[in-house]
Amino acid sequence: MRRPPERIERLPPQYFAGLLGRVAKAAAQPGPPVIDLGRGNPEVGPAAHVVETLQRAAGRADVHGYAPFRGLPALKEAIAGRYRDVYGVTIDPEREVAVIPGTKAAIVELALVAANEGDTILLPDPGYPDYTSGVALAGAKLELLHLDPQSDWAPDLAVAPAASLALLNYPTNPCAACAPAGLFEEAVDYSNRTGTILVHDAAYIDLIFDGRKPESYLATPGAMENGLEIWTMSKTYGMAGWRIGFVVGNAEIVERLNLINDHTRVGIFRPLQEAAVAALTGPQDDVEERRATYERRRNRVLEALPGTSVSDGTFYVWLKLPDGLSADDILAAQRVAVAPGGGFGPSGEGWVRLSVAVTDENLEAGLERLAPALAGRP
């Protein structure tokens, strides 16, 4: 057989598949059960009315053909309504919303519709590992935007080069930091000054702590000129695995995404879309309950573990490890899995990401094992 196309060989190792493999290997060894605090997999699903909507819709005879290629108008209107009512952003649901089967697909497709082969794409460091997949498939050149812990995990956009696309993510995965004051204004200035398409990954926009309010990049004056935002049902509504997300913002880029989806996706199963409408337009109590649960667990982690940590939002805590201690050491000795920071970029070395999207029981058991290790005791 011939060798795979170069675009396949360019793909980096899949970080989370590797992490799951290491956890499974450790779990197969003799010893106490491994406690997995490494995965960002919401442990609580959507509200009951969302599931019931899916069940009812799937039982109808009229839903089993192809749904509209570009998404149900009601779904696009529902996400536009959330942007208006919660984030203070006016969105044209017809021209400025792309319905995507999961925002992981959106990350790849944005690279494909923004960059030619050899163009530059800027990604945050540390940042979500799968951002690099889109760069590889587009044949683009990767450059990193270093997130400075001394500047509240903000990049220095004053010295950032022009690029086909630059990506920001607040609250950040893995650093769990919210956008510092003024950063979005700086991002708009950078984007419009250089002509760079600026994409903000807002996956965790609603999971914020300490009295903060959700903040959309698109609420910044001038952001829509070259800007877009990625938004997902996974985190706000506990619908991970349902594979429904959105890209909202600049109409030209939205149309490019719609064109890609016309050729490759041919719509999303209608009952899933109807359930998403129910989530967006129905009672919102579960959104606040989910956010408050993660904040409570975040507080418990900060109380229990010594050392430097960051968690302004998301369902993660970004932990600085003592010198000489690694995530592999913790997995082997304490049998607790955390996500090694180096997998999120060079600046993540020496850190780990801990997830609080687990049961209270598993979190407490994990903290009991972790605290002595982080304090330098066996």
Side-chain angles (χ1 to χ4, degrees), residues 4-378:
E6 184 183 350
R7 71 180 66 89
I8 298 297
E9 295 187 332
R10 287 195 302 258
L11 283 169
Q14 219 294 329
Y15 173 77
F16 296 105
L19 179 61
L20 291 173
R22 290 195 297 274
V23 173
K25 183 177 179 180
Q29 301 300 313
V34 168
I35 299 171
D36 189 354
L37 303 182
R39 294 186 67 190
N41 192 26
E43 83 295 359
V44 177
H49 72 275
V50 178
V51 177
E52 290 164 3
T53 299
L54 173 66
Q55 292 170 331
R56 287 195 304 270
R60 299 202 318 261
D62 65 333
V63 301
H64 300 292
Y66 295 114
F69 284 11
R70 299 188 174 193
L72 297 180
L75 179 56
K76 293 191 282 189
E77 290 165 5
I79 189 63
R82 182 169 187 85
Y83 263 79
R84 179 191 64 239
D85 298 339
V86 179
Y87 312 132
V89 179
T90 299
I91 296 291
D92 181 337
E94 182 59 32
R95 298 177 58 252
E96 297 174 338
V97 176
V99 181
I100 306 291
T103 51
K104 193 168 180 178
I107 290 166
V108 170
E109 291 174 2
L110 280 163
L112 294 176
V113 303
N116 286 311
E117 188 167 348
D119 286 356
T120 296
I121 292 178
L122 299 175
L123 298 180
D125 169 33
Y128 180 54
D130 287 344
Y131 290 151
T132 60
S133 303
V135 180
L137 290 173
K141 181 176 69 172
L142 170 62
E143 291 197 23
L144 297 177
L145 285 170
H146 171 64
L147 304 186
D148 185 357
Q150 302 305 314
S151 298
D152 297 323
W153 303 95
D156 186 353
L157 293 173
V159 300
S164 289
L165 183 147
L167 194 146
L168 297 177
N169 164 222
Y170 291 95
T172 57
N173 175 14
C175 305
C178 287
L183 175 62
F184 284 168
E185 288 77 7
E186 292 175 18
V188 168
D189 177 71
Y190 160 76
S191 174
N192 294 340
R193 171 170 43 84
T194 62
T196 300
I197 296 168
L198 198 294
V199 176
H200 178 238
D201 181 356
Y204 299 92
I205 187 172
D206 299 303
L207 302 183
I208 47 176
F209 309 146
D210 305 317
R212 294 178 175 87
K213 301 298 183 184
E215 187 176 8
S216 167
Y217 171 68
L218 297 181
T220 313
M224 295 281 282
E225 184 172 333
N226 291 302
L228 304 109
E229 194 155 70
I230 302 173
W231 199 96
T232 175
M233 303 295 296
S234 297
K235 312 308 189 292
T236 298
Y237 291 105
M239 295 169 69
W242 291 53
R243 312 316 304 161
I244 299 182
F246 308 89
V247 177
V248 301
N250 181 274
E252 179 184 342
I253 306 302
V254 165
E255 176 57 27
R256 295 182 198 175
L257 290 170
N258 281 331
L259 184 60
I260 287 276
N261 278 273
D262 288 348
H263 285 272
T264 60
R265 307 293 186 187
V266 198
I268 297 171
F269 187 42
R270 186 182 184 109
L272 290 172
Q273 296 189 67
E274 293 187 10
V277 172
L280 288 161
T281 62
Q284 300 296 300
D285 298 356
D286 67 307
V287 175
E288 171 55 22
E289 290 171 5
R290 185 173 288 104
R291 187 211 63 78
T293 295
Y294 293 140
E295 182 171 18
R296 173 178 57 79
R297 291 177 183 159
R298 184 281 309 257
N299 292 343
R300 178 67 188 120
V301 173
L302 300 187
E303 174 187 60
L305 299 183
T308 301
S309 58
V310 183
S311 186
D312 300 331
T314 73
F315 41 57
Y316 305 119
V317 179
W318 186 233
L319 293 170
K320 179 72 171 167
L321 292 182
D323 290 343
L325 185 67
S326 72
D328 286 341
D329 296 333
I330 292 170
L331 182 58
Q334 277 71 41
R335 295 181 68 77
V336 176
V338 289
F344 297 94
S347 296
E349 290 292 344
W351 296 76
V352 294
R353 192 194 73 179
L354 182 151
S355 173
V356 298
V358 295
T359 65
D360 289 342
E361 293 75 14
N362 276 352
L363 181 62
E364 286 298 328
L367 294 177
E368 184 176 354
R369 296 185 193 179
L370 281 173
L374 295 179
R377 304 192 304 274

